[in-house]
Amino acid sequence: MLRTALRNVLAHKARLAMTVLAVCLGVAFVSGTLVFADSSAAAHRAAASKSFAGIAVSVTPKHSQDAPPGEDPAGVLDDALVRKLAGVPGVASVRPAADGSATLSAADGTPLRAGRAWANLGAAHVPDGNGEDRRYPLVEGRAPRGGEEIAVDSGTAAAGRFRLGDPVRLATDGPVMTKRLVGVVSTEDTRVTAGGTLALFDRATAQQLFAAPGRYTGIDLTATPGTGQAELSARVAAVLPAGRAEATTGAAQAAQQALHVGTLTRGHTKLPLVFAGVSLFIGSFLIVNTFTMLVTRRTREIALLRAIGASRRQVAGSVLAEAALLGLVASAAGFLLGLGVAAVLPGLLGTAQDALPDGPLVIGPRPVVAALGVGVGVTVLAAWLPSRRAAKVAPVEAMRSVRQPPSAARSRIRAAAGLVLLVLGAGLLVSLSGAKDASAQNLQDAMLACGVLVVALIVLAPLLAAPVIRLAGRLTGRFGAVGHLARENALRDPRRTAATASALMISTALVAGLAVVGNSTAQALDHQAAAGLRADYVIGTRTPTTGIDPAAVERVAATAGVRTAAAVADVSLFTGGGVRQIAGVDPAAVDAVMRLDFTDGSAKELGPGRIAVSSTLARERGVGAGDRLDAHIGRGRDPRPYTVVGVYRDNPVAGDALGDLGEVRSAGFLPGSAQRILVRTEDGDASDAMGKRLRAAVGDNPLLKVQDRAALVHEAAGSVGELLTLMYGLLAIGVVISALGIANTLAMSVSERTREIGVLRAIGMDRAGVRRMIRLEAVIVAAFGTLLGLAGGVFSAWAVGSLANGAMAQYSLALPWGTLLLVCLLSLVTGAAAAAVPARRAAALSPLRAVAGP
C-alpha cells in the first residue's frame, strides 16, 4: 500500500502541485516568522551584550514606595559614593552616568524617529583618563565641552541629516533648546539601534537636565581581572546605603535590556502569523477538494484493491500516506521559502523611525519542527475526510461505470447540521448585538459566533449551490448554449463546487467584515474627534511627563490669526474607588473652544471647589447640579467634597469632569503647566501657514504636537490603518489560494470530461466556445463563493460592530460600497484568470482523441 501511495503521488504530481503551493505559502509564513523572531531576539541579545561589554556591576537608585513625597531617588548617587565605590576591592574603574530622555527635532519641527519615543535617550559623555568615553566612542568631531554643545550617534545624525557645526533643536521635559553639534559617536545600545536617538551632553549639563548638580542616575563599574560579576556585586551591595541603591550585574542588565526591547518589538511577528493561519485554513479546503476528487476518480481502482484483499484501514492509510508525502514536500519547500521571508521581514517591518537590529539568520529547531508539524499536520488532517470516504468504497464499485450520488439521507443530515449551526451562530450574534458592551468576554463570544457561522456556511454550501448558481445562471444564459453548459457543469457536483468556492468564501468574508468594521470605525472616529470641539487646533504633549508652560500659552494667544487660546490641564480624578480624568479650564474661555451640552447647570460657576461632571459620571455617582461629590484631584491624598455645578453630555474633549484651571493645574504632575492648548482661529483658519505660526509660537518644540481637526482624525484612525493593512493582506492571500483551488478543480474536471468536450467539439463547438464555457464555469463558482462570503462577512460585522457602540457612541454601520464592489470584481477576475490554463488545455483537445477517451 505504501508503494501504491507513492505511485499515486507520482502519477498525479502535476495536479498535486497546486496543493503543495498552497500549503507551502502557509508553512513559509510560519517558519519565516519564527526564524525572524529567533534572529531578532539573538540580534537584541548580541547588541545588548556589546552595549554592556566591560560593565561588571551597575549601581542605580532604588525607588521606594515608603520614601517621602518629593524625595529625589537619584540624590544618593553623588561624587562621595563614586569615590567610595572606587575603593571597593575588585573595582577597576568607575563611570558615573546621568541619563534621561531627550527628543530631537527634525527640520520640520516634528520629533526625530518618533516611532520609538521610549528610546529617545539623553546621556552624559564621561571621558576616562585618556579623554575618551569607551561606551560612546567618537567617530567624528570631538566631545561636548559646555552647555551649548552636543554630540549624537551616527544613526541619529544620518536620520536628521546633521553635520558638524549645525544647530540641533531638542527638548528634555520643558522648553525647546538649541545646541551646536560638535561630535558624532557610535553606540551598541539596543534602544538606539532599534530605532531610537542618542544625545550626549557634557557631564555638568547632563546632571542639570536629568538629575541634579553633583548627582547621577547610575554608576557603572568594571572589574579587575579574576573578579567575577556576582562576587563584585555582593561587595558593592555591602557598601551601598540600605534601601536607597541597588547593584546589578552587567550580564543581568544586558539580559533585562534585551528582553525589554524584544518585548516592545514583539508585535512585528503577529501580522505574519495571522497571514500564516489564514493561508493554512483556506489552503485546507484546497487539500480536501483535491483529495476528494482524486478519491472519486480512483473509485474503481480502490474497489479493486478492496476486492483483492485490501482492508478499509489499509485504503485509508494509503490516502493519508499520500497526504503525508505531499506535506513533507510542501514543508521542505515552505521552509526554504520561509528563510527568504525571514530575510525580507526586517526591511518590510522596519522603517527609519522603527528600525530593527541587524544580524544573521538564526535557524533553531523550533522553525524546523513547526514547518514539518504544520505542513504535514494540516495536509494529513485535511485529507482525513477523503480517506474515510475512500475506506467506505465497496468492492462492488469496481463493476459500476457511473459514480453514485450521495444518498438523500446524507444530504438531510448535512442540511440539519448546517441549519443548527446557522441558528446557533446567527442567534448568538443577534443576542450579542443588543448588549452594546465591548467587554473582552462579549468580543470573545462574538468571535466564536462568527466562527460557528462560517462553519455553518461551509456545511450548507453544497445545498445552497443549486439555487444560487441557478440565479447566477440567468446572467450566463445570455452567452447562449455556452452559458447554459457552464451553469450545468457547475451544478453537476454541488459538493465539489462548494468546496472550491469555500476558500474564496472565507477570504471574502474576512475582508468584507474587516472592511465594514474599519469603515464604520473610521467614520465614528471622525465624528468623535470633531465632536465637542469648537477649536480649530489642539496643541498637546507627546508624553505624559511633559507640560506646556504658561509663557507658551501667552505666545500662542498673541499669534496673528488666533481668536482664543485656552489652556487645559489634564489630571487624574479619584472618586468612588475609581480613576477618572478631570480637565482644568478657564470658565470664561471654555465655551469658545468646547462644544458643551449641559443638561443641568452650566460651566459659568466653575471655580475652586466647584466642578462639572459628564452624564456618565453623574449617573454612576448619583449626583446632579448642586450636589456634593467626594473626590481628590491629582497629587492630593485626602478626598474632599466638591460642589457639582453642572452635568454635560459625554464629551471626548472635556473628559469625565471639568474643574477650575488654577486648582487643577496646581495639583498636576507638573504643577503650573498645562497639557493642552485649544486654539480658536479667526474665520476658522486651518491653513498650513497658521499651523507653522502656532508651531513657531511654541518654539518648534518636538515634545509638542500642533494638530488641526484633520490631523486629530488621522491620529485617531491609526489603528484603522493597521486594520486595512491586515485586510488587504488577507485579501491577497485569499485570492492566490482561491485561484489555485479553482485552477486545480477545473483542470481535474476537464480531465474527467474529456469525452464530453470531444463530443461538443465534434458537433460544432469551436475552441473559443470551449474556452468561454470553462471560464464562465469558473466565474460562476467564484460568484457563488463571493456572495456567501459577502453575506456572512457583512452580517458578522454588523453584529460585532454593535458591541463597539457601547464603547464608541458615534459608531454606526457604514458599508464601504466601493471596497465591497472592488472585492466582488476582484473575485470574478480571479475566477476568470484561474480558468486560463484549464480552458486552453480543454480547447486544445482533438475531437477524435477526446471522444476515444484517455
Side-chain angles (χ1 to χ4, degrees):
M1 296 303 292
L2 290 176
R3 288 197 298 270
T4 301
L6 181 60
R7 178 185 61 81
N8 287 329
V9 170
L10 295 176
H12 301 96
K13 54 182 177 294
R15 294 168 187 169
L16 295 174
M18 301 289 187
T19 306
V20 170
L21 184 56
V23 178
C24 178
L25 290 175
V27 172
F29 277 118
V30 172
S31 60
T33 303
L34 294 178
V35 170
F36 165 71
D38 292 344
S39 303
S40 179
H44 284 310
R45 289 193 297 269
S49 298
K50 291 180 181 179
S51 177
F52 287 89
I55 298 178
V57 177
S58 291
V59 177
T60 55
K62 190 172 185 179
H63 297 264
S64 175
Q65 295 181 350
D66 299 328
E71 180 181 353
D72 180 13
V76 65
L77 305 185
D78 54 14
D79 291 323
L81 182 61
V82 170
R83 291 189 295 270
K84 187 176 183 180
L85 292 174
V88 174
V91 173
S93 64
V94 180
R95 181 190 184 278
D99 302 338
S101 175
T103 304
L104 280 71
S105 176
D108 59 356
T110 60
L112 191 64
R113 290 186 167 181
R116 285 284 185 260
W118 50 269
N120 293 331
L121 308 181
H125 188 275
V126 183
D128 55 16
N130 298 323
E132 297 180 356
D133 189 338
R134 288 179 294 177
R135 187 165 189 178
Y136 304 118
L138 280 166
V139 175
E140 186 180 2
R142 60 175 177 80
R145 297 172 183 167
E148 302 304 317
E149 296 180 346
I150 191 177
V152 299
D153 69 286
S154 55
T156 300
R161 299 181 180 178
F162 298 140
R163 296 182 179 180
L164 294 182
D166 287 350
V168 178
R169 301 176 64 81
L170 72 149
T172 53
D173 60 356
V176 67
M177 300 175 288
T178 301
K179 308 288 184 182
R180 187 167 63 92
L181 182 64
V182 297
V184 177
V185 303
S186 63
T187 179
E188 298 293 343
D189 194 310
T190 52
R191 294 169 294 179
V192 180
T193 57
T197 61
L198 173 66
L200 293 179
F201 308 86
D202 68 284
R203 183 186 302 194
T205 303
Q207 287 177 319
Q208 183 177 3
L209 290 174
F210 307 126
R215 309 294 183 181
Y216 304 99
T217 59
I219 303 175
D220 296 329
L221 311 176
T222 60
T224 57
T227 304
Q229 292 188 1
E231 178 185 0
L232 184 60
S233 177
R235 295 177 186 173
V236 169
V239 302
L240 293 177
R244 301 188 64 191
E246 57 185 347
T248 308
T249 63
Q253 287 275 85
Q256 182 179 2
Q257 186 176 110
L259 178 63
H260 174 67
V261 177
T263 301
L264 292 172
T265 57
R266 190 177 297 167
H268 291 302
T269 62
K270 293 181 180 179
L271 193 61
L273 286 178
V274 171
F275 289 162
V278 172
S279 61
L280 289 170
F281 183 63
I282 297 176
S284 64
F285 290 91
L286 174 56
I287 301 170
V288 172
N289 203 26
T290 300
F291 276 93
T292 299
M293 295 177 70
L294 289 175
V295 167
T296 301
R297 290 202 64 190
R298 301 206 308 258
T299 298
R300 298 183 68 181
E301 176 187 333
I302 294 172
L304 286 173
L305 290 174
R306 292 293 314 283
I308 62 176
S311 66
R312 291 188 173 185
R313 179 175 297 179
Q314 286 177 313
V315 171
S318 175
V319 176
L320 293 178
E322 291 181 48
L325 290 173
L326 194 69
L328 283 173
V329 174
S331 298
F335 183 77
L336 293 177
L337 183 60
L339 296 181
V341 172
V344 302
L345 275 179
L348 294 176
L349 298 177
T351 63
Q353 288 76 32
D354 194 5
L356 296 175
D358 295 327
L361 290 181
V362 176
I363 304 175
R366 186 175 65 152
V368 177
V369 173
L372 290 174
V374 169
V376 176
V378 170
T379 309
V380 171
L381 186 62
W384 180 70
L385 284 177
S387 71
R388 290 193 60 194
R389 292 177 183 174
K392 293 180 180 179
V393 174
V396 72
E397 295 290 337
M399 297 181 293
R400 293 177 178 170
S401 59
V402 179
R403 184 173 62 88
Q404 297 296 314
S407 64
R410 184 179 297 177
S411 298
R412 286 195 293 269
I413 293 175
R414 174 185 283 269
L419 287 174
V420 170
L421 292 173
L422 183 65
V423 171
L424 284 176
L428 182 56
L429 282 175
V430 171
S431 64
L432 289 172
S433 66
K436 293 187 177 182
D437 179 12
S439 63
Q441 184 61 48
N442 281 346
L443 289 175
Q444 292 177 4
D445 292 342
M447 293 301 101
L448 175 62
C450 290
V452 173
L453 184 62
V454 169
V455 173
L457 291 177
I458 294 172
V459 174
L460 291 174
L463 304 177
L464 296 173
V468 174
I469 289 177
R470 286 195 178 93
L471 180 63
R474 295 183 179 180
L475 298 176
T476 60
R478 297 185 178 183
F479 291 89
V482 173
H484 290 293
L485 287 173
R487 182 191 62 187
E488 294 304 318
N489 288 335
L491 287 172
R492 180 176 300 184
D493 191 339
R495 288 191 301 175
R496 177 186 300 178
T497 299
T500 305
S502 292
L504 193 57
M505 179 194 72
I506 294 171
S507 60
T508 303
L510 285 171
V511 172
L514 289 175
V516 172
V517 172
N519 187 63
S520 303
T521 303
Q523 292 196 15
L525 290 173
D526 191 346
H527 295 316
Q528 179 172 295
L533 184 66
R534 294 185 188 274
D536 301 298
Y537 282 90
V538 176
I539 302 175
T541 60
R542 296 184 183 274
T543 62
T545 58
T546 304
I548 305 175
D549 62 283
V553 180
E554 295 177 0
R555 291 195 302 269
V556 170
T559 301
V562 172
R563 177 180 173 184
T564 305
V568 179
D570 296 313
V571 179
S572 297
L573 176 71
F574 300 87
T575 178
V579 182
R580 303 291 190 272
Q581 198 76 11
I582 185 170
V585 296
D586 180 359
V590 65
D591 287 335
V593 294
M594 290 187 186
R595 198 183 305 274
L596 297 171
D597 183 9
F598 276 86
T599 59
D600 193 7
S602 69
K604 296 179 181 179
E605 301 299 323
L606 287 174
R610 298 192 297 273
I611 63 174
V613 298
S614 66
S615 56
T616 298
L617 181 57
R619 184 173 58 254
E620 292 177 355
R621 303 298 299 146
V623 296
D627 294 334
R628 295 296 183 96
L629 178 66
D630 290 332
H632 69 85
I633 298 175
R635 297 179 302 159
R637 300 207 172 192
D638 298 324
R640 53 164 289 191
Y642 285 88
T643 301
V644 177
V645 299
V647 177
Y648 55 88
R649 298 187 189 278
D650 289 358
N651 186 309
V653 179
D656 300 307
L658 292 174
D660 178 71
L661 176 61
E663 181 180 23
V664 174
R665 187 158 53 182
S666 63
F669 178 76
L670 298 171
S673 65
Q675 281 63 52
R676 289 180 289 165
I677 306 175
L678 304 184
V679 182
R680 182 86 174 269
T681 62
E682 299 288 352
D683 302 324
D685 183 10
S687 61
D688 292 340
M690 174 56 72
K692 291 180 180 178
R693 290 199 295 270
L694 292 176
R695 281 192 290 272
V698 294
D700 285 327
N701 193 328
L703 296 179
L704 303 181
K705 50 187 176 181
V706 179
Q707 297 173 293
D708 58 11
R709 289 170 177 262
L712 289 171
V713 172
H714 180 74
E715 181 182 63
S719 57
V720 178
E722 297 177 0
L723 187 65
L724 292 177
T725 301
L726 176 63
M727 180 188 75
Y728 290 121
L730 295 177
L731 178 60
I733 292 175
V735 164
V736 171
I737 297 180
S738 300
L740 294 175
I742 294 174
N744 202 33
T745 300
L746 289 176
M748 300 181 75
S749 179
V750 166
S751 178
E752 291 178 354
R753 302 202 311 258
T754 299
R755 290 185 177 179
E756 176 184 323
I757 294 173
V759 170
L760 292 174
R761 294 277 285 115
I763 63 176
M765 181 178 288
D766 58 8
R767 295 187 176 187
V770 173
R771 288 194 296 267
R772 190 179 303 114
M773 178 182 68
I774 301 298
R775 289 197 186 101
L776 288 175
E777 182 180 349
V779 170
I780 290 173
V781 174
F784 172 58
T786 301
L787 288 176
L788 285 187
L790 285 176
V794 172
F795 177 77
S796 299
W798 165 78
V800 174
S802 298
L803 297 178
N805 186 258
M808 192 181 301
Q810 292 81 6
Y811 186 95
S812 62
L813 187 68
L815 296 179
W817 295 107
T819 302
L820 297 180
L821 179 61
L822 178 62
V823 170
C824 292
L825 292 177
L826 187 58
S827 298
L828 298 179
V829 170
T830 299
V837 174
R840 187 169 60 250
R841 290 183 178 178
L845 290 173
S846 169
L848 293 179
R849 292 183 180 179
V851 171

